[in-house]
Coordinates of all heavy atoms in Angstrom, one line a residue:
P239 N 78.3 29.8 67.3 CA 77.5 29.5 68.5 C 77.2 30.7 69.4 O 76.2 30.8 70.0 CB 78.4 28.5 69.3 CG 79.3 27.9 68.2 CD 79.5 29.0 67.2
I240 N 78.2 31.7 69.4 CA 78.0 32.9 70.2 C 76.8 33.7 69.6 O 76.0 34.2 70.4 CB 79.3 33.7 70.2 CG1 80.4 32.9 70.9 CG2 79.1 35.0 71.0 CD1 81.8 33.5 70.8
A241 N 76.8 33.9 68.3 CA 75.7 34.6 67.7 C 74.4 33.9 67.9 O 73.3 34.6 68.1 CB 76.0 34.8 66.2
L242 N 74.3 32.6 67.8 CA 73.1 31.8 68.0 C 72.6 32.0 69.5 O 71.4 32.2 69.7 CB 73.3 30.4 67.7 CG 72.0 29.5 67.8 CD1 71.0 30.0 66.9 CD2 72.4 28.0 67.5
A243 N 73.5 31.9 70.4 CA 73.2 32.1 71.8 C 72.6 33.5 72.0 O 71.6 33.7 72.7 CB 74.4 31.9 72.7
S244 N 73.2 34.5 71.4 CA 72.7 35.9 71.5 C 71.3 36.0 70.9 O 70.4 36.7 71.4 CB 73.6 36.9 70.8 OG 74.9 36.9 71.5
K245 N 71.1 35.3 69.8 CA 69.7 35.3 69.1 C 68.7 34.7 70.1 O 67.6 35.3 70.2 CB 69.8 34.5 67.8 CG 68.5 34.2 67.2 CD 68.6 33.3 66.0 CE 67.2 33.0 65.4 NZ 67.4 32.0 64.2
Y246 N 69.0 33.6 70.7 CA 68.1 33.0 71.7 C 67.8 33.9 72.8 O 66.6 34.1 73.3 CB 68.7 31.7 72.2 CG 68.7 30.5 71.2 CD1 69.6 29.5 71.4 CD2 67.8 30.5 70.1 CE1 69.7 28.4 70.5 CE2 67.9 29.4 69.2 CZ 68.8 28.4 69.4 OH 68.9 27.4 68.5
A247 N 68.8 34.6 73.4 CA 68.7 35.5 74.5 C 67.8 36.7 74.1 O 66.9 37.0 74.9 CB 70.0 36.0 75.0
E248 N 68.0 37.2 72.9 CA 67.2 38.4 72.5 C 65.8 38.0 72.2 O 64.9 38.9 72.3 CB 67.9 39.0 71.2 CG 69.2 39.7 71.5 CD 70.0 40.0 70.2 OE1 69.5 39.7 69.1 OE2 71.2 40.5 70.4
A249 N 65.6 36.7 71.9 CA 64.2 36.3 71.6 C 63.4 36.1 72.9 O 62.2 35.8 72.8 CB 64.2 35.0 70.8
G250 N 64.1 36.1 74.0 CA 63.4 35.9 75.3 C 63.6 34.6 76.0 O 62.9 34.3 77.0
A251 N 64.6 33.9 75.6 CA 65.0 32.6 76.3 C 65.3 32.9 77.8 O 65.9 33.9 78.1 CB 66.2 32.0 75.7
D252 N 64.8 32.0 78.6 CA 65.1 32.2 80.1 C 66.4 31.6 80.5 O 67.1 32.2 81.4 CB 64.0 31.5 80.9 CG 62.6 32.1 80.6 OD1 62.4 33.3 81.0 OD2 61.7 31.4 80.1
E253 N 66.8 30.6 79.8 CA 68.2 30.0 80.0 C 68.5 29.3 78.7 O 67.7 29.2 77.8 CB 68.2 28.9 81.1 CG 67.9 29.5 82.5 CD 68.0 28.4 83.5 OE1 67.1 27.5 83.5 OE2 68.8 28.4 84.4
I254 N 69.8 28.9 78.5 CA 70.2 28.2 77.4 C 71.1 27.0 77.9 O 71.9 27.1 78.7 CB 71.1 29.0 76.4 CG1 70.3 30.2 75.9 CG2 71.6 28.2 75.2 CD1 71.2 31.3 75.1
I255 N 70.8 25.8 77.3 CA 71.6 24.6 77.6 C 72.5 24.4 76.5 O 72.2 24.4 75.3 CB 70.7 23.4 77.8 CG1 69.7 23.6 78.9 CG2 71.5 22.2 78.1 CD1 68.6 22.5 79.0
I256 N 73.8 24.2 76.8 CA 74.8 23.9 75.8 C 75.3 22.4 76.0 O 75.8 22.1 77.0 CB 76.0 24.8 75.9 CG1 75.6 26.3 75.7 CG2 77.1 24.4 74.8 CD1 76.7 27.3 75.8
F257 N 75.1 21.6 75.0 CA 75.5 20.2 75.0 C 76.8 20.1 74.2 O 76.9 20.3 73.0 CB 74.5 19.3 74.3 CG 73.2 19.1 75.1 CD1 72.1 19.9 74.9 CD2 73.1 18.1 76.1 CE1 70.9 19.7 75.6 CE2 72.0 17.9 76.8 CZ 70.9 18.8 76.6
D258 N 77.9 19.8 75.0 CA 79.2 19.6 74.4 C 79.3 18.2 73.8 O 79.3 17.2 74.6 CB 80.3 19.9 75.4 CG 81.7 19.4 75.0 OD1 81.9 19.3 73.8 OD2 82.6 19.3 75.9
M259 N 79.4 18.1 72.5 CA 79.4 16.8 71.8 C 80.8 16.4 71.4 O 81.0 15.6 70.5 CB 78.4 16.8 70.6 CG 77.0 17.0 71.0 SD 75.9 17.3 69.6 CE 76.1 15.9 68.6
S260 N 81.8 17.0 72.0 CA 83.2 16.8 71.6 C 83.6 15.3 71.7 O 83.1 14.6 72.6 CB 84.1 17.7 72.4 OG 84.0 17.5 73.7
E261 N 84.5 14.9 70.9 CA 84.9 13.5 70.9 C 86.4 13.2 71.4 O 86.8 12.1 71.5 CB 84.8 12.9 69.5 CG 83.3 13.0 69.0 CD 83.2 12.5 67.5 OE1 84.1 12.8 66.7 OE2 82.1 12.0 67.2
N262 N 87.1 14.3 71.6 CA 88.5 14.1 72.2 C 88.8 15.4 73.0 O 88.0 16.3 73.1 CB 89.5 13.9 71.0 CG 89.4 15.0 70.0 OD1 89.5 16.2 70.3 ND2 89.2 14.6 68.7
D263 N 90.0 15.4 73.6 CA 90.4 16.5 74.5 C 90.5 17.8 73.8 O 90.2 18.8 74.3 CB 91.7 16.1 75.2 CG 91.5 15.0 76.2 OD1 90.4 14.7 76.6 OD2 92.5 14.4 76.6
T264 N 91.0 17.8 72.6 CA 91.2 19.0 71.8 C 89.8 19.6 71.5 O 89.6 20.9 71.7 CB 91.9 18.7 70.5 OG1 93.2 18.2 70.8 CG2 92.1 20.0 69.7
E265 N 88.9 18.8 71.0 CA 87.5 19.3 70.8 C 86.9 19.8 72.1 O 86.2 20.8 72.1 CB 86.7 18.3 70.1 CG 87.1 17.9 68.7 CD 86.2 16.8 68.1 OE1 85.2 16.5 68.7 OE2 86.6 16.4 67.0
H266 N 87.1 19.1 73.1 CA 86.5 19.4 74.4 C 87.0 20.8 74.9 O 86.3 21.6 75.4 CB 86.9 18.4 75.5 CG 86.3 18.6 76.8 ND1 85.0 18.9 77.0 CD2 86.8 18.5 78.1 CE1 84.7 19.0 78.3 NE2 85.8 18.8 78.9
D267 N 88.3 21.0 74.8 CA 88.9 22.3 75.2 C 88.3 23.5 74.3 O 88.0 24.5 74.9 CB 90.4 22.3 75.1 CG 91.1 21.4 76.1 OD1 90.4 21.1 77.2 OD2 92.3 21.0 76.0
A268 N 88.2 23.2 73.0 CA 87.6 24.2 72.2 C 86.1 24.5 72.5 O 85.7 25.7 72.5 CB 87.6 23.7 70.7
A269 N 85.4 23.5 72.9 CA 84.0 23.6 73.3 C 83.9 24.5 74.6 O 83.1 25.3 74.8 CB 83.3 22.3 73.5
L270 N 84.8 24.2 75.6 CA 84.9 25.0 76.8 C 85.2 26.4 76.5 O 84.6 27.3 77.2 CB 85.9 24.4 77.8 CG 85.5 23.0 78.4 CD1 86.7 22.4 79.1 CD2 84.4 23.1 79.3
D271 N 86.0 26.7 75.6 CA 86.3 28.1 75.2 C 85.1 28.8 74.7 O 84.9 30.0 75.0 CB 87.5 28.1 74.2 CG 88.8 27.8 74.8 OD1 89.0 27.9 76.1 OD2 89.8 27.5 74.1
I272 N 84.3 28.1 73.9 CA 83.1 28.6 73.3 C 82.1 28.9 74.4 O 81.4 29.9 74.4 CB 82.5 27.7 72.2 CG1 83.5 27.7 71.0 CG2 81.1 28.1 71.8 CD1 83.1 26.7 69.9
M273 N 82.0 27.9 75.3 CA 81.1 28.1 76.5 C 81.4 29.4 77.2 O 80.6 30.2 77.6 CB 81.1 26.9 77.4 CG 80.3 25.7 76.9 SD 80.3 24.5 78.3 CE 79.6 23.1 77.4
K274 N 82.7 29.6 77.5 CA 83.2 30.7 78.2 C 82.8 32.0 77.5 O 82.4 33.0 78.1 CB 84.7 30.6 78.4 CG 85.3 31.7 79.3 CD 86.8 31.5 79.5 CE 87.4 32.6 80.4 NZ 88.9 32.3 80.6
D275 N 83.0 32.0 76.2 CA 82.7 33.2 75.4 C 81.2 33.5 75.5 O 80.7 34.7 75.6 CB 83.1 33.1 73.9 CG 84.6 33.2 73.8 OD1 85.2 33.8 74.7 OD2 85.1 32.8 72.7
I276 N 80.4 32.4 75.3 CA 78.9 32.6 75.4 C 78.5 33.1 76.8 O 77.7 34.0 76.9 CB 78.2 31.3 75.1 CG1 78.4 30.9 73.6 CG2 76.7 31.3 75.5 CD1 77.9 29.5 73.2
C277 N 79.1 32.6 77.8 CA 78.7 33.1 79.2 C 79.1 34.5 79.4 O 78.3 35.3 80.0 CB 79.4 32.2 80.2 SG 78.8 30.5 80.4
A278 N 80.2 34.9 78.8 CA 80.6 36.3 78.9 C 79.8 37.3 78.1 O 79.6 38.5 78.5 CB 82.1 36.4 78.5
K279 N 79.2 36.8 77.0 CA 78.6 37.7 76.0 C 77.1 37.6 76.0 O 76.4 38.3 75.3 CB 79.2 37.5 74.6 CG 80.7 37.8 74.6 CD 81.3 37.5 73.2 CE 82.8 37.8 73.2 NZ 83.4 37.5 71.9
T280 N 76.5 36.7 76.8 CA 75.1 36.4 76.8 C 74.5 36.7 78.1 O 75.1 36.3 79.2 CB 74.8 35.0 76.4 OG1 75.5 34.7 75.1 CG2 73.3 34.7 76.2
E281 N 73.4 37.4 78.2 CA 72.9 37.9 79.5 C 72.1 36.8 80.2 O 71.9 36.9 81.4 CB 72.0 39.1 79.3 CG 72.8 40.3 78.8 CD 71.9 41.6 78.7 OE1 70.7 41.5 79.0 OE2 72.5 42.6 78.4
V282 N 71.6 35.8 79.5 CA 70.8 34.7 80.2 C 71.8 33.7 80.8 O 72.9 33.6 80.4 CB 69.8 34.1 79.3 CG1 68.9 35.1 78.7 CG2 70.5 33.3 78.2
D283 N 71.3 33.0 81.8 CA 72.1 31.9 82.4 C 72.3 30.8 81.4 O 71.4 30.4 80.7 CB 71.4 31.4 83.7 CG 71.4 32.4 84.8 OD1 72.3 33.2 84.9 OD2 70.4 32.4 85.6
I284 N 73.5 30.2 81.5 CA 73.9 29.1 80.7 C 74.1 27.8 81.5 O 74.6 27.8 82.6 CB 75.2 29.4 79.9 CG1 75.1 30.7 79.2 CG2 75.6 28.2 79.0 CD1 74.1 30.7 78.1
I285 N 73.5 26.7 81.0 CA 73.7 25.4 81.6 C 74.6 24.6 80.7 O 74.4 24.5 79.5 CB 72.3 24.7 81.8 CG1 71.4 25.5 82.7 CG2 72.5 23.2 82.3 CD1 70.0 25.0 82.7
G286 N 75.7 24.0 81.3 CA 76.7 23.2 80.5 C 76.5 21.8 80.7 O 76.4 21.3 81.8
A287 N 76.4 21.0 79.6 CA 76.2 19.6 79.6 C 77.1 18.9 78.6 O 77.6 19.5 77.6 CB 74.7 19.3 79.3
G288 N 77.3 17.6 78.8 CA 78.1 16.8 77.8 C 79.5 16.6 78.2 O 80.2 17.5 78.8
N289 N 80.0 15.5 77.8 CA 81.4 15.1 77.9 C 82.0 15.3 79.3 O 83.1 15.8 79.5 CB 82.3 15.9 76.9 CG 83.6 15.2 76.5 OD1 83.9 14.1 77.0 ND2 84.3 15.8 75.6
V290 N 81.2 14.8 80.3 CA 81.7 14.8 81.7 C 82.2 13.3 82.0 O 81.4 12.4 81.9 CB 80.6 15.2 82.6 CG1 81.0 14.9 84.1 CG2 80.3 16.6 82.4
K291 N 83.4 13.2 82.4 CA 84.0 11.9 82.7 C 84.4 11.8 84.2 O 84.5 10.8 84.7 CB 85.2 11.6 81.8 CG 84.8 11.6 80.3 CD 86.0 11.4 79.5 CE 85.7 11.4 78.0 NZ 86.9 11.4 77.1
R292 N 84.7 13.0 84.8 CA 85.3 13.1 86.1 C 84.9 14.4 86.7 O 84.5 15.3 86.0 CB 86.8 12.8 86.1 CG 87.5 13.8 85.2 CD 88.9 13.3 84.9 NE 89.6 14.2 83.9 CZ 89.5 14.1 82.6 NH1 88.8 13.2 82.1 NH2 90.2 14.9 81.9
M293 N 85.2 14.6 88.0 CA 84.9 15.8 88.7 C 85.6 17.0 88.0 O 85.0 18.1 88.0 CB 85.4 15.8 90.2 CG 84.9 17.0 90.9 SD 85.5 17.0 92.7 CE 87.2 17.4 92.5
E294 N 86.7 16.9 87.5 CA 87.5 18.0 86.9 C 86.7 18.6 85.7 O 86.7 19.8 85.5 CB 88.8 17.5 86.4 CG 89.7 18.6 85.8 CD 90.3 19.5 86.8 OE1 90.2 19.2 88.0 OE2 90.7 20.6 86.4
D295 N 85.9 17.7 85.0 CA 85.1 18.2 83.9 C 83.9 19.1 84.4 O 83.6 20.1 83.7 CB 84.5 17.1 83.1 CG 85.6 16.3 82.4 OD1 86.6 16.9 81.9 OD2 85.6 15.0 82.4
I296 N 83.3 18.8 85.5 CA 82.3 19.6 86.1 C 82.9 21.0 86.5 O 82.4 22.0 86.3 CB 81.7 19.0 87.3 CG1 80.8 17.7 86.9 CG2 80.8 20.0 88.1 CD1 79.6 18.1 86.1
K297 N 84.1 20.9 87.1 CA 84.8 22.1 87.5 C 85.1 23.0 86.3 O 84.9 24.2 86.3 CB 86.2 21.7 88.1 CG 87.1 22.9 88.5 CD 88.4 22.4 89.1 CE 89.3 23.6 89.4 NZ 90.6 23.1 89.9
K298 N 85.5 22.4 85.2 CA 85.8 23.2 84.0 C 84.6 23.9 83.4 O 84.6 25.0 83.0 CB 86.5 22.3 82.9 CG 87.9 21.9 83.2 CD 88.5 21.0 82.2 CE 89.9 20.6 82.5 NZ 90.4 19.7 81.4
I299 N 83.4 23.1 83.4 CA 82.2 23.7 82.9 C 81.8 24.9 83.8 O 81.4 26.0 83.3 CB 81.1 22.6 82.9 CG1 81.3 21.6 81.8 CG2 79.7 23.3 82.7 CD1 80.4 20.4 81.8
L300 N 81.8 24.7 85.1 CA 81.4 25.8 86.0 C 82.4 27.0 85.9 O 81.9 28.2 86.0 CB 81.3 25.3 87.4 CG 80.2 24.3 87.7 CD1 80.3 23.7 89.1 CD2 78.8 24.9 87.4
Y301 N 83.6 26.7 85.7 CA 84.6 27.8 85.6 C 84.5 28.6 84.3 O 85.0 29.7 84.2 CB 86.0 27.3 85.7 CG 86.5 27.0 87.1 CD1 85.5 26.9 88.2 CD2 87.8 27.0 87.5 CE1 85.9 26.7 89.5 CE2 88.2 26.8 88.8 CZ 87.3 26.6 89.8 OH 87.6 26.4 91.1
T302 N 83.7 28.1 83.3 CA 83.5 28.9 82.1 C 82.5 30.0 82.4 O 82.3 30.9 81.6 CB 82.9 28.0 80.9 OG1 81.6 27.5 81.3 CG2 83.8 26.9 80.6
G303 N 81.7 29.9 83.5 CA 80.7 30.8 83.8 C 79.3 30.2 83.8 O 78.3 31.0 84.1
C304 N 79.2 29.0 83.4 CA 77.9 28.3 83.4 C 77.3 28.3 84.8 O 78.0 28.1 85.8 CB 78.0 26.9 82.9 SG 78.3 26.7 81.2
K305 N 76.0 28.6 84.9 CA 75.3 28.6 86.2 C 75.3 27.2 86.8 O 75.4 27.1 88.0 CB 73.9 29.2 86.0 CG 73.1 29.3 87.3 CD 71.7 29.8 87.1 CE 71.0 29.9 88.4 NZ 69.6 30.4 88.2
R306 N 75.0 26.2 86.0 CA 75.0 24.8 86.5 C 75.6 23.9 85.5 O 75.8 24.2 84.3 CB 73.5 24.4 86.7 CG 72.9 25.0 87.9 CD 71.4 24.8 87.9 NE 70.7 25.7 87.0 CZ 69.4 25.6 86.7 NH1 68.6 24.6 87.3 NH2 68.8 26.4 85.9
A307 N 76.0 22.7 86.0 CA 76.6 21.7 85.1 C 75.7 20.4 85.2 O 75.1 20.2 86.3 CB 78.0 21.4 85.5
V308 N 75.7 19.6 84.2 CA 74.8 18.5 84.1 C 75.6 17.2 84.1 O 76.6 17.0 83.3 CB 74.0 18.6 82.8 CG1 73.0 17.4 82.7 CG2 73.2 19.9 82.8
L309 N 75.2 16.3 84.9 CA 75.7 14.9 84.9 C 74.8 14.0 84.0 O 73.6 14.1 84.2 CB 75.8 14.3 86.3 CG 76.7 15.0 87.3 CD1 76.4 14.4 88.7 CD2 78.2 14.7 86.9
D310 N 75.4 13.3 83.1 CA 74.7 12.4 82.2 C 74.4 11.1 82.9 O 75.4 10.3 83.0 CB 75.5 12.2 80.9 CG 74.8 11.3 79.9 OD1 73.7 10.8 80.2 OD2 75.3 11.1 78.8
Y311 N 73.2 10.8 83.3 CA 72.9 9.6 84.0 C 72.7 8.4 83.2 O 72.3 7.3 83.7 CB 71.7 9.8 84.9 CG 72.1 10.1 86.4 CD1 73.1 11.0 86.7 CD2 71.4 9.5 87.4 CE1 73.5 11.2 88.0 CE2 71.8 9.7 88.7 CZ 72.8 10.6 89.0 OH 73.2 10.8 90.3
T312 N 73.1 8.5 81.9 CA 73.2 7.2 81.1 C 74.6 6.7 81.3 O 74.9 5.6 80.8 CB 73.0 7.5 79.6 OG1 74.0 8.4 79.1 CG2 71.6 8.1 79.3
K313 N 75.5 7.4 81.9 CA 76.8 6.9 82.2 C 77.0 6.6 83.7 O 76.8 7.5 84.5 CB 77.8 8.0 81.8 CG 77.8 8.4 80.3 CD 78.8 9.5 80.0 CE 78.8 9.8 78.5 NZ 79.7 10.9 78.2

Side-chain angles (χ1 to χ4, degrees):
I240 298 170
L242 183 60
S244 296
K245 174 186 174 182
Y246 289 155
E248 291 167 3
D252 296 297
E253 294 180 294
I254 298 171
I255 302 173
I256 301 177
F257 289 94
D258 169 17
M259 297 167 60
S260 56
E261 298 176 328
N262 56 55
D263 290 342
T264 300
E265 290 181 10
H266 183 45
D267 288 342
L270 290 168
D271 286 341
I272 291 172
M273 282 188 187
K274 185 175 182 179
D275 285 341
I276 289 174
C277 289
K279 298 175 181 178
T280 307
E281 293 185 359
V282 302
D283 290 328
I284 306 298
I285 297 169
N289 206 355
V290 171
K291 300 174 183 175
R292 52 196 179 275
M293 185 181 77
E294 185 70 14
D295 294 317
I296 293 292
K297 176 182 176 180
K298 288 179 178 179
I299 289 172
L300 293 174
Y301 278 22
T302 66
C304 287
K305 182 181 179 181
R306 285 171 286 172
V308 181
L309 295 169
D310 179 359
Y311 259 46
T312 64
K313 298 178 179 179

